[in-house]
Amino acid sequence: MDKKRCDWVPQNDLLYMAYHDNEWGVPVFDDQKLFEFLILEGFQAGLSWRTVLHKRENFRRAFDWFDAQKIAAYDERKIEQLMQNAGIIRNRSKILACVNNARCFLEAQEKFGSFSDFIWRFTDGRPIVNHWQSLADVPARTELSDLISKELKQMGFKFVGSTIVYAHMQATGMVNDHLVYCFRHGELSLLNF
């Protein structure tokens, strides 16, 4: 019998199904992985997550596996090289924001000990478990994502509007937004913190 998944998962896209089943909503505390999701969510702005997901391996190679130290040092030559890379989303504003955000990310690590410590303090280090019945119930942003977005912007981050921040919170398991009938909702709700 097939597992019941969230309605937004295309049943004919094995990569998307694997992402939903194994990654989306799983709490992430690793700084490099949190940075990767933050950058990818920024690149997704105005596009579909499917587009980003299917280019993720290209993004990883193009952006030095999301090593913030390396990205923070990118110069104009590297930015031009990225603009010629057909395997990624070639948007100059988003690429420049990625470099900027790498620098801000390193500053956050310096100030808070880790980016994980910074971001997870908003939920006291534990996922918020929601109980959405349908896709229509799931918000695009919340008061908490508004607050995190505001703080990130004050720290100098770009492409971190409230909707992008909430998508980041969903992807990295700060919130469990799997629909209640989805098999992952129950599995992730059982995790102890």
Side-chain angles (χ1 to χ4, degrees), residues 177-193:
D177 271 0
H178 285 280
L179 300 176
V180 290
Y181 58 75
C182 175
F183 80 99
R184 288 299 279 156
H185 184 274
E187 289 178 357
L188 292 172
S189 297
L190 294 174
L191 297 176
N192 290 318
F193 290 86

Side-chain angles (χ1 to χ4, degrees), residues 51-63:
T51 300
V52 174
L53 185 62
H54 281 269
K55 292 179 179 278
R56 182 162 63 164
E57 289 306 315
N58 296 334
F59 271 105
R60 285 174 172 162
R61 285 188 293 275
F63 286 92

Side-chain angles (χ1 to χ4, degrees), residues 5 42 67 96 113 128 141 144 156 186 190:
R5 292 180 175 88
D67 181 325
L96 291 172
I128 297 167
R141 46 158 290 278
L144 182 56
L190 294 174

Side-chain angles (χ1 to χ4, degrees), residues 13 39 64 66 143-144 162 186:
D13 188 331
I39 295 306
D64 292 297
F66 296 102
E143 286 185 17
L144 182 56
S162 188

Side-chain angles (χ1 to χ4, degrees), residues 9-163:
V9 182
Q11 298 303 308
N12 61 347
D13 188 331
L14 295 178
L15 183 63
Y16 216 124
M17 289 168 63
Y19 171 71
H20 169 274
D21 293 358
N22 302 312
E23 286 187 79
W24 194 77
V26 176
V28 175
F29 296 94
D30 175 74
D31 267 18
Q32 189 162 350
K33 195 76 173 166
L34 287 166
F35 180 63
E36 175 179 344
F37 274 113
L38 190 66
I39 295 306
L40 292 177
E41 295 294 350
F43 271 99
Q44 184 211 343
L47 303 169
S48 74
W49 179 247
R50 185 179 188 282
T51 300
V52 174
L53 185 62
H54 281 269
K55 292 179 179 278
R56 182 162 63 164
E57 289 306 315
N58 296 334
F59 271 105
R60 285 174 172 162
R61 285 188 293 275
F63 286 92
D64 292 297
W65 304 98
F66 296 102
D67 181 325
Q69 292 275 359
K70 289 181 180 177
I71 296 171
Y74 284 2
D75 58 14
E76 189 57 38
R77 189 176 67 73
K78 175 65 174 181
I79 290 163
E80 283 307 315
Q81 180 186 9
L82 290 167
M83 285 297 295
Q84 302 307 313
N85 186 334
I88 65 169
I89 296 162
R90 294 178 288 180
N91 178 302
R92 179 171 289 279
S93 296
K94 292 178 180 181
I95 291 170
L96 291 172
C98 177
V99 176
N100 172 79
N101 289 352
R103 294 170 183 156
C104 294
F105 183 86
L106 295 172
E107 289 172 13
Q109 285 181 317
E110 183 74 27
K111 181 175 180 181
F112 294 95
S114 72
F115 187 79
S116 180
D117 287 346
F118 161 73
I119 200 82
W120 278 96
R121 70 188 168 91
F122 290 99
T123 64
D124 295 324
R126 304 169 54 86
I128 297 167
V129 180
N130 291 314
H131 300 281
W132 310 122
Q133 301 292 322
S134 75
L135 202 50
D137 297 334
V138 182
R141 46 158 290 278
T142 63
E143 286 185 17
L144 182 56
S145 67
D146 291 350
L147 175 66
I148 297 171
S149 171
K150 182 179 177 186
E151 196 156 326
L152 286 169
K153 287 176 182 177
Q154 288 172 346
M155 294 165 67
F157 284 86
K158 308 280 187 216
F159 281 94
V160 288
S162 188
T163 301

